[in-house]
Amino acid sequence: MKENYDFMMPSVNFFGPGVIEKIGDRAEMLNMKKVLIVTDNFLKNMVDGPVKQTETSLKNAGVDYVIFDEVEPNPKLRNVKSGVSFYNDNHCDSIISVGGGSAHDCAKGIGIALTNGGDITKLAGIETLSNPLPPLMAVNTTAGTASEITRHAVLTNEDTHLKFVVVSWRNVPLVSFNDPLLMLEVPTKLTAATGMDALCHCVESYVSENSNPITDAQAIQGIKLINENLRRAVANGHDIEARTNMAYASLLAGMAFNNADLGYVHAMAHQLGGQYDAPHGVCCAVLMPTVERWNMISNPERFKDIAVLLGENVDGLSKMEAAERGIKALERISEDVGIPTNIKSIGAKEEDFELMAENALKDGNAFSNPRKGNKEDIIELFRQAYEA
């Protein structure tokens, strides 16, 4: 646990049903004259969806805008390059991302490229940015990645199949919007995947060597909320209470890992996502039990806490026995919401493990993992997750 730390998040965060109506006013306050809305084609064409509501709010405030709708899952460098051209061609001065993590990360990538140089692969790492991004706001539509409030921009080089992260306080959006009403139509599989991503954020933040009392409080409450609400949100997407609580949990998880950082689960998940274009939340969920079981010896007391937060009875058990209950509970919630049990099921190939292990250890998330491993350790973790 760190004794000295800073704490980062957007200066303004709007939360609750109907807050999307405030977008135009905030854009006007930030002196946004020509906004680039960054989203995907599905959300753009959704009747009365989040993009249409964003447009309405901007129009009511007299703010001009154009829509860039080429965002792909696991956003690629080609999406960023197209977005930069679209921004410049339309003489934009600001950005609003609308969607889940892919839209937010793509928007950050566009902003990075506009102000810090076109080849953003050279900026992978921690605090590599010299210049501020254009004014950026983020409208969130899923309960999972929390990219709308974090300093992480996760992008994929489609030529090398390498997923990389640019981590900087300059990436943090100026304003975020979390309106649970925008999440009611999110499909079941996406609800499960993003919810498990949020759970992974909480778990990895809580056991991170960079955790602190503030992030602990956020991670603890996030785990409680996810345990009580994720299954409900998957079972019934129109359960507004469950959706709202999952939005709270995702926000808390983002605040936690934005400051405590993550670990090997995310470092390895980025390799699966980059290599096979697999859904990020699924990658995290499938890897989490294997990696955290390996991490247990670093701090069994923390994993015991996770077991209790997930509703396990640990009376009379040793710390390691209680910690194992926590891992079993992670496996159970993942199974309950329909996540695959191993990485083989999402296309992983054994011949790729060595390269993915090498790249995982270079990932910015690897450095805060509570237990330190080498390439052979990571290969073995991929293998165990493959055979699970």
Side-chain angles (χ1 to χ4, degrees), residues 118-131:
D119 187 1
I120 60 176
T121 60
K122 295 180 179 178
L123 298 170
I126 300 175
E127 298 304 344
T128 60
L129 303 185
S130 301
N131 302 313

Side-chain angles (χ1 to χ4, degrees), residues 314-333:
V314 298
D315 292 346
L317 300 180
S318 68
K319 286 183 180 179
M320 287 300 290
E321 289 172 335
E324 176 62 27
R325 285 280 181 93
I327 305 302
K328 291 290 188 184
L330 292 175
E331 291 174 330
R332 191 176 307 114
I333 190 171

Side-chain angles (χ1 to χ4, degrees), residues 5 15 21 24 76 106 112 132 163 219 253 255 261 281 288 330 333 339 347 369:
Y5 52 88
F15 189 99
E21 297 175 0
K76 317 296 189 292
C106 187
I112 292 167
K163 210 169 190 180
M255 293 164 67
D261 302 314
M288 183 161 49
L330 292 175
I333 190 171
I339 299 293
N369 196 72

Side-chain angles (χ1 to χ4, degrees), residues 182-293:
L182 303 181
M183 304 176 186
L184 299 181
E185 303 301 328
V186 175
T188 298
K189 287 185 178 180
L190 184 58
T191 299
T194 55
M196 289 302 296
D197 189 21
L199 180 58
C200 188
H201 291 157
C202 291
V203 170
E204 287 208 289
S205 298
Y206 191 63
V207 302
S208 167
E209 64 176 21
N210 292 336
S211 65
N212 61 64
I214 299 174
T215 61
D216 283 353
Q218 294 159 342
I220 287 169
Q221 182 64 10
I223 292 171
K224 288 180 180 177
L225 286 169
I226 293 167
N227 186 52
E228 294 166 358
N229 293 279
L230 177 56
R231 294 175 178 88
R232 286 174 55 187
V234 169
N236 177 9
H238 285 261
D239 184 333
I240 294 178
E241 181 181 47
R243 287 292 195 189
T244 300
N245 285 333
M246 282 302 301
Y248 272 124
S250 175
L251 187 70
L252 288 165
M255 293 164 67
F257 89 81
N258 200 37
N259 295 279
D261 302 314
L262 296 164
Y264 283 170
V265 177
H266 270 76
M268 294 169 66
H270 287 160
Q271 311 319 311
L272 292 176
Q275 192 70 28
Y276 311 113
D277 206 19
H280 173 69
V282 174
C283 295
C284 290
V286 175
L287 287 167
M288 183 161 49
T290 296
V291 175
E292 300 306 352
R293 183 171 278 115

